Amino acid sequence: MSWLIDPFADFAFMQRALLGCLAISLGATPVGVFLMLRRMSLTGDAMAHAILPGAAVGYLVAGLNLGAMTIGGVVAGLAVALLTGAVARVTALREDASLAAFYLISLALGVLLVSLKGSNVDLMHVLFGTVLALNDAALILLCAITTVTLATLALIFRPLVMECADPRFLASVSRWSGPVHFIFLALVVLNLVAGFQALGTLMAVGIMILPAATARFWANSISGMLVVAALSASIASVIGLLMSYHAGLPSGPAIILSAGCLYLLSLGFGPVGSLYTRAFPRPHLDA
């Protein structure tokens, strides 16, 4: 028990890291579930890299300043999302190809901008985050983004679920289709920026998508998947932080690797559609 409790009881930086990870787990995982249901999981990965140039510009202007990097990341992410949609609408290029192109340009440009002014340490900070160095301002930002995300999802929950099931039907009976899509993309960008502050650009999407994929093997309903995803992300956060503390591993990759292990266990032995249930299906009752 001391191995589990003492790091969080004795050290303030571990308490801050845990609070920040729990905030991200509550806010990012519902967005990840809807990304998965809408078959947009790779879109989340691309958007995670799209915020890098904006964060890099903020870094060039103000150094490792939370506000500047956050504003830059949000602006860059929203710009890439809007440009992707515009290119897909006015040219023959499909949206997935357009997004892939902008994501590759953004990743290369962001790394180049950080390298112009900073050291390799600064580049690693941007790419992999510093969850063990979260301060009060970062925690307030993470909790605020989580609050905004949950409140917004509660307001658009029904049309968002309908769009996952049948977007053409929603477009035919309601004007919510377009606004819901762009509101949802804004939530994706906000939560990627939140994850970026703690886990870095390359790891932020992991805490969003892996718990959502894990939840698919434990629940059939959307509400069930939302709960399981949040619990999975929280458990992975605790395990990853403990691994980082006791074994000296990088905290961000340790958290994402823990989430990956939970996903692999669920893939093999989860009660809904896993490899085990496919290999050994339950016998049906005779009528």
Side-chain angles (χ1 to χ4, degrees):
M1 292 299 294
S2 63
W3 189 89
L4 294 172
I5 296 174
D6 286 353
F8 300 111
D10 297 340
F11 299 99
F13 71 91
M14 290 292 288
Q15 297 170 6
R16 293 173 181 270
L18 179 61
L19 178 58
C21 288
L22 292 179
I24 295 172
S25 298
L26 290 175
T29 52
V31 175
V33 168
F34 284 108
L35 279 174
M36 180 187 67
L37 292 175
R38 300 177 68 180
R39 297 187 176 99
M40 294 175 60
S41 298
L42 291 179
T43 300
D45 183 52
M47 293 301 298
H49 297 86
I51 67 175
L52 184 55
V57 170
Y59 169 74
L60 289 176
V61 173
L64 293 175
N65 180 274
L66 177 66
M69 294 179 70
T70 298
I71 293 172
V74 171
V75 171
L78 292 176
V80 168
L82 293 174
L83 284 173
T84 298
V87 169
R89 288 177 182 270
V90 302
T91 70
L93 196 64
R94 296 185 61 178
E95 189 171 7
D96 59 339
S98 175
L99 183 60
F102 281 117
Y103 132 67
L104 292 171
I105 294 170
S106 298
L107 178 60
L109 179 61
V111 172
L112 181 63
L113 288 174
V114 174
S115 301
L116 286 177
K117 181 180 178 180
S119 63
N120 288 335
V121 174
D122 295 328
L123 181 60
M124 294 295 286
H125 168 88
V126 171
L127 293 179
F128 297 103
T130 53
V131 68
L132 296 180
L134 294 177
N135 54 24
D136 289 344
L139 288 177
I140 292 173
L141 174 67
L142 296 180
C143 293
I145 289 176
T146 297
T147 302
V148 170
T149 299
L150 295 178
T152 305
L153 286 176
L155 290 174
I156 66 171
F157 185 79
R158 287 191 175 183
L160 189 58
V161 170
M162 189 178 296
E163 191 179 40
C164 293
D166 193 342
R168 292 184 179 179
F169 175 75
L170 177 63
S172 66
V173 301
S174 173
R175 296 180 180 179
W176 272 96
S177 180
V180 163
H181 179 71
F182 286 107
I183 291 172
F184 180 70
L185 286 180
L187 291 180
V188 172
V189 172
L190 278 176
N191 282 276
L192 287 173
V193 169
F196 162 80
Q197 301 296 338
L199 302 173
T201 300
L202 298 183
M203 298 286 115
V205 73
I207 202 66
M208 183 179 290
I209 299 300
L210 283 171
T214 299
R216 184 63 186 85
F217 297 108
W218 292 92
N220 282 317
S221 65
I222 293 179
S223 58
M225 283 190 282
L226 293 175
V227 172
V228 173
L231 288 175
S232 174
S234 300
I235 292 171
S237 298
V238 172
I239 295 174
L241 289 173
L242 289 173
M243 289 172 58
S244 176
Y245 177 83
H246 290 292
L249 301 175
S251 52
I255 291 171
I256 303 305
L257 184 59
S258 300
C261 291
L262 292 176
Y263 165 74
L264 292 176
L265 287 173
S266 301
L267 171 65
F269 304 103
V272 181
S274 66
L275 296 176
Y276 178 81
T277 58
R278 294 296 175 89
F280 303 99
R282 294 180 180 181
H284 294 284
L285 295 177
D286 293 328

